[in-house]
Amino acid sequence: MIVAGAWRRSVPALVRSIAGARWPGFSAPSSSPAAAAYQAAGCENKVPLLSGRWFSILSAPKTRTAIHKTWLNPLVNNLLGHCSETTAAAVDTSDPSCEKFEYQAEVSRLMDLIVHSLYSNKEVFLRELISNASDALDKLRFLGVTEPELLKEAVDFDIRIQTDKDNGIITITDTGIGMTRQELVDCLGTIAQSGTAKFLKALKDSKEAGADSNLIGQFGVGFYSAFLVSDKVVVSSKSPKSDKQYVWEGEANASSYTIREETDPEKLIPRGTRLTLYLKRDDKAFAHPERIQNLVKNYSQFVSFPIYTWQEKGFTKEVEVDEDPAEAKQEGGDDAFTERKKKTKKVIEKYWDWELTNETKPIWLRNPKDVTTEEYNEFYKKTFNEYLDPLASSHFTTEGEVEFRSILFVPAVKKDDIVNFKTKNIRLYVKRVFISDDFEGELFPRYLSFVKGVVDSNDLPLNVSREILQESRIVRIMRKRLVRKAFDMILGISLSENRDDYEKFWENFGKNLKLGCIEDHSNHKRIAPLLRFFSSQSENELISLDEYVENMKADQKDIYFIAADSLTSARNTPFLERLIEKDYEVLFLVDPMDEVAIQNLKSYKDKNFVDISKEDLDLGDKNEEKEKEIKQEFGQTCDWIKKRLGDKVASVQVSYRLSSSPCVLVSGKFGWSANMERLMRAQTLGDTSSLEFMRARRVFEINPEHPIIKNLNIAGRTSPDDLEALRAIDLLYDTALISSGFTPENPAELSGKIYEMMGTALGSKWAAGSPISQEYGSPGQHCGSGNKVTPEAEVVEAVEVGGQK
């Protein structure tokens, strides 16, 4: 298992050198990580530093390797001949079967870094060791093609993990290629000096520069990661090329290790490697069977070989219960021959057995045509611990500059908050081994964080920090393609014949798409067709922008909208009057994010978005001559009203958007609408200075066709200082403030004006001394006469009086 990692890492450079000498036409990619690292290390007969699980012919697709059997055997023989020779000096011991070796100095430094600096998460040790075991099985399967004698032991290809939680021991066994004595020395005790020095120097430089040391997918030092949690590690390995089984034993803080031949018959294995980890006191929790099972499912669920864990199981059975003799006699009576049914109870019989842990298959490696909807749904539920089927899925393979496979899902329900930037919805794999699900926008923007899925890439660098991941060109390309596929998947839901699916999606994730309008300008063309709104012609059913454009009138140039706090407010706003007369459809933006999202879109299919609550509204029916006449007639009135309102408004203008309302208060062209002002007021850290500035941009528009405005026009010309006329202007402004959606500046003052107006109107008709009161009489007069009048009589009398009038 351990030598497999070194063997795989040395393949690319050695294949190039050997094959290049033997076959001049053969060449390996000089830009591969293996070639670059091997050349940089300056190694000739040393195993490169275990700092990366390099791409090799073992794990490459068959179309890429194309290694012919005619030259496979000599290539492998040459390759194995390049195994490094140990630089550690053997130390004489009293036991001739046990040899003691000193670690190479660089190995000691590397182990110290691993234990104290390299890994921030200890649980990755199991991922590293399982990955090495998978490499060993891969190597054996590869070599078995040309050397069938290596598979003479009819043993299944698998990985088995057994734990002893009482003693804190974990045993990992694989049936892979195994190691000989010399390979144990070469691969577990020696690392090329220059390669290690380069790695250590790079790590030291990154720490001095303050770089993030939270490495993602830190492959390459797999075996030594065992010392993260272990005081002692014992490696027992049997190679099919050797008749003997050897044991490598080392401790965490020791400068030496021992190698001996295995002589205990009970510990012999037919083939492969067995790792025994003796855990540290603080890390014995890892030896719990359930903990190991969960780690395997998280990190190594999709390893191509079966992984078994030793688990406690149980089954229910019935057992007889001993009865009390006195009770049995009482139930049986005097008849000794009476047959009675024996009492039983159910108990759980416990036992230990192997359980397949990685039963979920990596379906993203299969052809999408061969995967059924049921298989996608089952994979989604198991991988993301969901109980509902997804709304949609997208299975694709991207080739070209960057190659990766992925399956994306749209959940049926919303779980995470829209402002939750960190989610664990995207699981990144490299060659089916889990790397991380802790991303902060590297693969998906925040507004698409609800999308769940897996991404498996062979091109992503394996030794990568958070900082490198954010700056990686490969990741940027992956992000661009993943976002595009996510939009295609959502668009497919919107175009589905089942309209309920998209309504369910919009209810859960509509705010996310609106956030995308604000944050992602590059994808506006993909987001806009997915938006949904209510409108003046569709108050009960959401419509898309495509449906709106399709329903536009021939003379309509723009897309009109009004922002309000509810459908009722939007439906009854005075801004709609002329547009409804012209049968123009108006979008109702009733969600707090709607207005900001539309303002960021600006246009759709060459149609500009126009807020009908702002000044300079052009409905395309202007009559310049008529407008000029109206302005001449009401110009003086506009100036008179502006003088009365003062700084409350920026100007007073004649309105062409009203038909039944006397006036309306509109926002400046670049000012806040009433809805936006309300939202800004609600902000905890809102800027009151900007609020005051935007308020001064309001425009008071009057309807010249309304009787109230006509009367004010006469009053302005004849009695501009009349108090009743001036109070009427104030009341008009306050009512326009409310009807236009703004908040009154002084509600108490407005209430006083309304009460005063009601008193004046009622007092002139119902006050004492009025004709009606004299005819009807006051309530006090009736009470004083002693004639009691019932409420019914009062109503009848009032009606008669009214009839006489």
Side-chain angles (χ1 to χ4, degrees):
M1 175 169 61
I2 310 303
V3 71
W7 188 85
R8 287 166 67 93
R9 284 184 290 274
S10 61
V11 165
L14 293 178
V15 165
R16 187 177 57 191
S17 60
I18 296 170
R22 191 177 294 259
W23 302 280
F26 179 88
S27 64
S30 59
S31 60
S32 66
Y38 202 78
Q39 292 172 354
C43 306
E44 296 179 0
N45 293 324
K46 300 294 182 183
V47 179
L49 168 67
L50 304 178
S51 62
R53 183 170 290 111
W54 295 341
F55 177 80
S56 70
I57 55 178
L58 288 183
S59 59
K62 294 181 180 180
T63 56
R64 291 192 174 190
T65 52
I67 302 176
H68 199 273
K69 292 183 179 181
T70 55
W71 59 274
L72 181 60
N73 280 324
L75 174 60
V76 172
N77 292 334
N78 280 291
L79 176 62
L80 296 179
H82 280 70
C83 190
S84 62
E85 299 176 359
T86 181
T87 58
V91 180
D92 294 332
T93 60
S94 57
D95 186 356
S97 64
C98 180
E99 295 181 85
K100 185 177 181 181
F101 297 84
E102 293 292 330
Y103 278 119
Q104 194 180 39
E106 298 293 334
V107 176
S108 298
R109 293 177 59 195
L110 180 61
M111 285 197 297
D112 181 71
L113 276 174
I114 291 172
V115 175
H116 298 102
S117 303
L118 193 57
Y119 289 98
S120 60
N121 189 6
K122 287 186 176 182
E123 65 185 23
V124 299
F125 83 93
L126 189 64
R127 178 193 71 185
E128 300 292 330
L129 298 179
I130 290 177
S131 299
N132 282 346
S134 177
D135 289 347
L137 291 165
D138 266 331
K139 179 183 177 183
L140 179 62
R141 184 169 59 180
F142 176 75
L143 295 178
V145 176
T146 55
E147 301 179 51
E149 64 275 8
L150 297 178
L151 304 176
K152 60 184 178 180
E153 298 290 344
V155 182
D156 294 335
F157 286 60
D158 59 28
I159 303 169
R160 296 179 182 267
I161 307 174
Q162 191 170 7
T163 60
D164 181 355
K165 63 180 180 180
D166 296 330
N167 298 314
I169 299 174
I170 300 177
T171 304
I172 305 173
T173 306
D174 69 78
T175 56
I177 189 62
M179 289 177 284
T180 63
R181 175 190 174 280
Q182 187 60 39
E183 287 171 339
L184 284 171
V185 174
D186 294 339
C187 299
L188 301 188
T190 304
I191 300 179
Q193 168 97 19
S194 58
T196 303
K198 182 178 180 181
F199 171 76
L200 298 178
K201 184 178 184 299
L203 183 63
K204 181 180 178 181
D205 292 343
S206 67
K207 283 187 172 293
E208 290 178 352
D212 187 358
S213 61
N214 182 20
L215 301 186
I216 299 175
Q218 182 60 51
F219 289 158
V221 285
F223 168 69
Y224 298 108
S225 66
F227 291 103
L228 281 169
V229 296
S230 307
D231 285 326
K232 184 174 73 171
V233 177
V234 177
V235 182
S236 182
S237 189
K238 169 68 168 63
S239 172
K241 297 180 180 181
S242 174
D243 296 332
K244 296 181 180 181
Q245 181 174 327
Y246 293 94
V247 179
W248 182 99
E249 185 173 331
E251 297 184 2
N253 297 320
S255 61
S256 61
Y257 60 93
T258 61
I259 295 180
R260 58 180 172 82
E261 182 181 347
E262 182 60 81
T263 56
D264 188 349
E266 296 183 357
K267 296 182 179 180
L268 294 178
I269 55 179
R271 182 189 70 225
T273 302
R274 177 190 294 129
L275 263 72
T276 305
L277 311 182
Y278 296 87
L279 301 180
K280 301 174 182 178
R281 178 180 300 178
D282 296 338
D283 298 315
K284 287 189 176 182
F286 284 108
H288 198 284
E290 292 183 359
R291 181 79 179 273
I292 290 295
Q293 188 179 51
N294 292 335
L295 290 179
V296 171
K297 288 183 177 181
N298 186 39
Y299 288 101
S300 306
Q301 177 74 274
F302 304 109
V303 170
S304 55
F305 298 99
I307 303 174
Y308 295 92
T309 55
W310 190 246
Q311 298 292 332
E312 185 180 25
K313 300 183 178 182
F315 64 92
T316 304
K317 69 176 184 178
E318 290 188 355
V319 297
E320 295 182 2
V321 180
D322 295 334
E323 294 182 295
D324 186 5
E327 182 181 350
K329 183 177 180 181
Q330 183 178 358
E331 293 180 359
D334 296 334
D335 189 357
F337 297 99
T338 302
E339 292 184 1
R340 292 179 295 101
K341 187 177 180 180
K342 295 181 179 179
K343 289 187 176 181
T344 62
K345 68 176 182 178
K346 293 183 179 180
V347 297
I348 298 178
E349 187 76 16
K350 294 185 177 181
Y351 66 100
W352 288 83
D353 196 6
W354 293 107
E355 180 178 323
L356 180 63
T357 303
N358 62 332
E359 56 185 351
T360 305
K361 303 302 179 184
I363 63 174
W364 64 80
L365 299 179
R366 296 164 55 186
N367 190 323
K369 297 180 181 179
D370 300 332
V371 186
T372 63
T373 303
E374 290 73 18
E375 288 178 304
Y376 283 127
N377 294 344
E378 188 66 21
F379 174 82
Y380 168 76
K381 291 177 181 178
K382 286 186 176 181
T383 305
F384 298 101
N385 195 25
E386 293 283 352
Y387 61 93
L388 294 176
D389 292 338
L391 287 178
S393 62
S394 177
H395 182 186
F396 59 94
T397 300
T398 301
E399 297 179 349
E401 189 175 4
V402 176
E403 296 185 7
F404 65 91
R405 296 172 180 265
S406 179
I407 300 180
L408 302 178
F409 300 94
V410 174
V413 295
K414 178 182 179 180
K415 286 187 175 181
D416 299 317
D417 191 358
I418 189 174
V419 298
N420 185 11
F421 195 75
K422 294 183 65 175
T423 61
K424 295 184 179 295
N425 291 339
I426 299 297
R427 298 174 61 86
L428 178 62
Y429 293 82
V430 173
K431 299 179 182 178
R432 302 183 307 279
V433 177
F434 175 69
I435 302 301
S436 178
D437 58 2
D438 184 16
F439 298 105
E440 297 180 1
E442 289 87 357
L443 293 178
F444 272 100
R446 177 173 66 162
Y447 67 93
L448 288 179
S449 60
F450 63 89
V451 177
K452 298 187 177 184
V454 296
V455 180
D456 190 354
S457 172
N458 292 342
D459 295 330
L460 193 65
L462 297 174
N463 298 330
V464 56
S465 67
R466 171 75 63 196
E467 184 180 23
I468 296 176
L469 185 61
Q470 292 174 343
E471 298 177 356
S472 171
R473 183 183 63 87
I474 296 176
V475 173
R476 288 197 299 269
I477 297 174
M478 289 175 60
R479 173 190 167 109
K480 185 176 181 180
R481 295 181 181 177
L482 287 171
V483 170
R484 187 179 304 168
K485 288 293 183 180
F487 279 123
D488 292 342
M489 179 172 53
I490 299 172
L491 183 62
I493 303 175
S494 68
L495 298 177
S496 173
E497 295 181 357
N498 187 358
R499 196 178 180 97
D500 293 339
D501 286 345
Y502 196 74
E503 290 180 358
K504 187 185 300 182
F505 168 83
W506 184 256
E507 181 181 354
N508 285 283
F509 308 111
K511 290 182 182 293
N512 294 70
L513 296 184
K514 296 171 187 176
L515 181 63
C517 295
I518 302 170
E519 295 185 344
D520 191 357
H521 294 270
S522 61
N523 282 307
H524 276 177
K525 291 184 178 180
R526 294 186 174 91
I527 298 175
L530 304 175
L531 300 178
R532 296 292 185 271
F533 305 98
F534 291 105
S535 75
S536 57
Q537 298 179 7
S538 179
E539 297 181 7
N540 299 320
E541 189 174 350
L542 294 166
I543 65 168
S544 66
L545 294 178
D546 287 323
E547 291 173 318
Y548 181 96
V549 173
E550 185 178 350
N551 295 332
M552 288 177 62
K553 301 301 179 182
D555 58 341
Q556 185 178 345
K557 299 179 181 179
D558 301 314
I559 300 175
Y560 299 111
F561 71 88
I562 179 68
D565 58 349
S566 66
L567 281 174
T568 304
S569 299
R571 187 187 306 119
N572 297 310
T573 181
F575 298 107
L576 283 176
E577 293 173 0
R578 284 293 303 280
L579 286 99
I580 291 178
E581 286 183 357
K582 297 176 69 65
D583 199 24
Y584 286 174
E585 189 172 13
V586 179
L587 295 177
F588 290 165
L589 310 186
V590 295
D591 186 85
M593 296 182 66
D594 285 347
E595 185 176 3
V596 184
I598 289 296
Q599 288 176 349
N600 279 271
L601 283 180
K602 296 181 180 179
S603 65
Y604 182 71
K605 291 186 175 180
D606 298 328
K607 307 288 185 181
N608 294 326
F609 289 102
V610 175
D611 187 348
I612 63 172
S613 68
K614 294 193 175 183
E615 64 176 335
D616 297 336
L617 177 65
D618 184 9
L619 299 179
D621 57 352
K622 286 187 176 182
N623 188 333
E624 295 183 358
E625 294 183 1
K626 184 178 180 180
E627 290 181 5
K628 186 176 181 180
E629 293 177 1
I630 294 176
K631 286 182 179 180
Q632 289 179 352
E633 181 180 355
F634 288 88
Q636 184 178 347
T637 302
C638 291
D639 295 337
W640 174 53
I641 296 175
K642 173 64 174 74
K643 181 179 179 181
R644 175 63 180 177
L645 296 178
D647 294 336
K648 292 181 179 180
V649 296
S651 63
V652 177
Q653 300 176 4
V654 175
S655 179
Y656 303 99
R657 73 181 84 206
L658 300 176
S659 59
S660 59
S661 299
C663 58
V664 71
L665 197 62
V666 303
S667 303
K669 190 173 183 180
F670 301 102
W672 287 339
S673 66
N675 182 69
M676 182 60 65
E677 183 176 313
R678 178 177 56 83
L679 294 177
M680 296 306 295
R681 282 178 179 272
Q683 298 298 314
T684 305
L685 303 177
D687 186 1
T688 56
S689 61
S690 59
L691 184 64
E692 293 296 329
F693 174 76
M694 292 299 179
R695 180 184 302 161
R697 300 303 307 161
R698 298 171 184 170
V699 177
F700 189 69
E701 291 189 359
I702 57 176
N703 180 7
E705 303 296 331
H706 198 278
I708 294 178
I709 301 301
K710 289 181 178 180
N711 291 334
L712 280 180
N713 186 36
I714 297 174
R717 292 176 180 274
T718 58
S719 305
D721 298 327
D722 184 76
L723 294 179
E724 295 295 334
L726 295 177
R727 276 200 294 266
I729 293 175
D730 294 338
L731 193 59
L732 274 178
Y733 172 79
D734 289 334
T735 54
L737 197 71
I738 297 175
S739 64
S740 301
F742 293 97
T743 303
E745 301 168 14
N746 192 340
E749 182 181 352
L750 174 61
S751 301
K753 293 177 182 177
I754 295 175
Y755 296 152
E756 181 182 355
M757 178 190 68
M758 292 175 63
T760 302
L762 295 176
S764 61
K765 188 173 184 179
W766 301 98
S770 65
I772 293 180
S773 64
Q774 291 176 359
E775 187 77 22
Y776 178 67
S778 64
Q781 293 172 341
H782 289 282
C783 293
S785 64
N787 298 325
K788 296 183 179 179
V789 181
T790 61
E792 293 81 357
E794 291 180 2
V795 173
V796 172
E797 186 175 355
V799 171
E800 291 177 352
V801 172
Q804 292 176 1
K805 290 185 68 68

